Amino acid sequence: MDRLRITGGKRLDGEVTISGAKNAALPILCACLLSAESLELTNIPALRDIHTSLRLLSQLGVKSEWTSDQGVTLSAASISSVEAPYELVKTMRASILVLGPLVARFGEARVSLPGGCAIGQRPVDQHIRGLEALGAEISIEHGYVVARASRLKGAVIRTDMVTVTGTENLMMAATLAQGTTVLENAAREPEVVDLANLLNKMGAHITGHGTDRIVIEGVEHLHGARHHIISDRIEAGSFLCAVAATGGDIRLNAVEPQYMGATLSKLAEAGLTLEQGENWIHAWMNQRPRAVDIRTHEYPGFATDMQAQFMAMNTVADGAAMIVETIFENRFMHVQELIRLGADIEIDGHTAMVRGVSRLSGATVMATDLRASASLVIAGLAAEGETTVERIYHLDRGYAKMEEKLQSLGASIVRVTSKETS
């Protein structure tokens, strides 16, 4: 397996271009199933999860063609299967997003249950209940969700919890339902808004996206469209946490600061100086960061996907910080690895108390999930000596060429392949 070798203690200086948002691209790729006409998408990030999604869509019969490094054209004119097999779904939980489009357009779908997840259960029951409210008949057979409906019918759906993928799945399904669907307690994330904007370009009638009440007027069919994926706010936030931890002066290009309010506010509280424009952020740090408390919450609150990176920054901050995780029950697995680097962290249930130390010490650590990977890279950049981060296939799921971007900022970081010796 590949790993990253980092020699820490270097400032980060320079410019980096942020990639398209994985969490926007994945549902938008699945939206191609709603139309027989082609989707032309740009700003697609080069990630493991993107290629997994394209393999799944290909197995369903979708034709895809890369038009550039970050552009792909998709055609679902001739679907040959409505089954998403366990072999692919188990590697990427977002595969559940084919369920709504398949049953909406083709009247049936057979999608494997995703199974367990390292950071929490993330159950799909909200997806199932919502589709049942739209008139689908659903059963669980041999580990698969089997859904059937002659045509979905609009309904008022209030989910028991705010769920991003649930909102996206039900919103896609409702575009082809007969009548009006209202999604109450809907997710407000920018990635949900980006999907709704794409669907409207395809001929859907969606209003209220970006609020907790989304209204969808069903249509007979959707057509093709062109769409540019929004910037990845989590990748941008990760680089800002890195410069806050190491010191330095960086500029992020191709970003959308309007979606990063909670992250930018906390970074400013930590002492990071920020300037921003419509599509750029300039950040610099010439001091030790100040410890900042965080509590994760659904958008527009502080993103759970930024919790681990802020914890890494807090490990070298001046003072103590309390971090409360309210979204996923197992999202402190990076703590033990940070402690291996010399961090002072205590966990009590869903709360972590982080007491900043003057310096971390390099060591070999193991990534346990996507955002944990980023936190270990940030900690390694700030640590004294050499840090090796293993199992970086997690990192490759959500960060496009992270080591190359960090190298361009002056970091001493290299990817070591399994064939190379240490």
Side-chain angles (χ1 to χ4, degrees):
M1 293 182 185
D2 288 3
R3 57 195 183 276
L4 292 178
R5 183 180 295 151
I6 304 166
T7 302
K10 297 181 182 294
R11 285 168 52 94
L12 299 180
D13 293 284
E15 298 189 17
V16 67
T17 298
I18 299 302
S19 301
K22 177 194 80 139
N23 290 340
L26 292 177
I28 283 174
L29 289 174
C30 295
C32 76
L33 294 167
L34 291 165
S35 174
E37 298 182 21
S38 296
L39 287 189
E40 298 177 27
L41 305 175
T42 56
N43 205 31
I44 299 289
L47 300 171
R48 183 188 295 262
D49 276 7
I50 295 296
H51 293 292
T52 299
S53 183
L54 290 174
R55 286 203 309 274
L56 171 58
L57 292 171
S58 174
Q59 189 152 325
L60 299 176
V62 173
K63 304 291 189 253
S64 64
E65 178 182 359
W66 287 96
T67 56
S68 68
D69 289 344
Q70 299 176 323
V72 66
T73 297
L74 301 164
S75 173
S78 301
I79 294 298
S80 55
S81 171
V82 293
E83 178 172 317
Y86 176 69
E87 288 71 25
L88 288 173
V89 175
K90 71 178 181 181
T91 65
M92 187 185 69
R93 294 184 58 88
S95 301
I96 195 68
L97 287 165
V98 303
L99 179 62
L102 284 173
V103 72
R105 181 173 164 215
F106 300 101
E108 59 179 326
R110 180 179 167 85
V111 179
S112 172
L113 288 167
C117 176
I119 62 171
Q121 294 184 17
R122 297 203 275 190
V124 300
D125 60 314
Q126 302 300 307
H127 305 238
I128 292 173
R129 292 175 187 173
L131 288 171
E132 286 177 333
L134 293 173
E137 295 182 0
I138 296 182
S139 59
I140 307 297
E141 302 175 7
H142 307 292
Y144 281 76
V145 179
V146 179
R148 297 180 178 87
S150 56
R151 185 181 181 187
L152 299 176
K153 293 180 172 55
V156 176
I157 303 170
R158 182 177 179 84
T159 54
D160 295 336
M161 57 188 289
V162 177
T163 161
V164 174
T165 54
T167 297
E168 292 166 340
N169 228 342
L170 298 175
M171 184 167 64
M172 286 191 283
T175 60
L176 296 179
Q178 183 178 13
T180 302
T181 297
V182 179
L183 302 181
E184 302 275 9
N185 200 30
R188 301 165 61 184
E189 271 71 5
E191 295 78 16
V192 174
V193 174
D194 202 35
L195 173 62
N197 289 339
L198 174 275
L199 294 171
N200 281 340
K201 289 179 183 178
M202 296 172 68
H205 296 159
I206 303 173
T207 57
H209 40 300
T211 76
D212 61 3
R213 185 177 188 271
I214 301 175
V215 180
I216 307 105
E217 302 285 346
V219 298
E220 290 291 332
H221 66 275
L222 297 177
H223 52 70
R226 296 180 178 179
H227 188 71
H228 186 82
I229 305 295
I230 61 172
S231 173
D232 194 322
R233 60 194 172 101
I234 306 302
E235 183 190 21
S238 300
F239 277 96
L240 293 175
C241 282
V243 75
T246 65
D249 187 327
I250 68 172
R251 177 186 168 103
L252 305 183
N253 297 318
V255 295
E256 297 176 74
Q258 69 270 29
Y259 296 139
M260 298 178 62
T263 294
L264 296 180
S265 177
K266 283 295 179 180
L267 285 166
E269 186 180 331
L272 186 67
T273 304
L274 295 160
E275 293 179 345
Q276 64 189 61
E278 183 178 351
N279 61 358
W280 57 268
I281 297 174
H282 179 202
W284 63 97
M285 177 72 99
N286 295 310
Q287 63 191 34
R288 186 180 177 188
R290 295 187 292 270
V292 291
D293 296 335
I294 61 171
R295 183 183 184 88
T296 63
H297 202 273
E298 294 86 0
Y299 189 85
F302 189 91
T304 182
D305 278 356
M306 284 303 306
Q307 177 256 106
Q309 299 90 311
F310 265 77
M311 184 180 288
M313 182 195 71
N314 274 326
T315 63
V316 294
D318 183 13
M322 181 178 294
I323 297 177
V324 182
E325 174 58 59
T326 70
I327 308 298
F328 293 124
E329 63 270 22
N330 295 332
R331 208 161 200 176
F332 282 153
M333 290 192 297
H334 48 282
V335 168
Q336 294 305 317
E337 301 304 303
L338 290 171
I339 289 174
R340 285 181 53 78
L341 297 172
D344 183 354
I345 308 171
E346 293 181 8
I347 300 176
D348 183 7
H350 296 291
T351 300
M353 176 59 70
V354 185
R355 297 175 180 87
V357 298
S358 59
R359 63 183 180 184
L360 299 173
S361 178
T364 298
V365 292
M366 181 180 68
T368 53
D369 60 72
L370 170 55
R371 306 307 172 186
S373 306
S375 76
L376 297 178
V377 170
I378 292 169
L381 293 170
E384 182 181 73
E386 186 174 282
T387 296
T388 299
V389 183
E390 298 184 338
R391 291 192 179 180
I392 59 168
Y393 57 84
H394 290 294
L395 189 79
D396 294 337
R397 289 186 48 234
Y399 292 91
K401 302 178 180 178
M402 190 180 200
E403 74 277 10
E404 294 180 19
K405 292 179 179 181
L406 286 168
Q407 288 167 3
S408 74
L409 298 176
S412 177
I413 178 172
V414 294
R415 178 180 291 254
V416 181
T417 67
S418 56
K419 295 180 181 180
E420 297 179 45
T421 62
S422 54

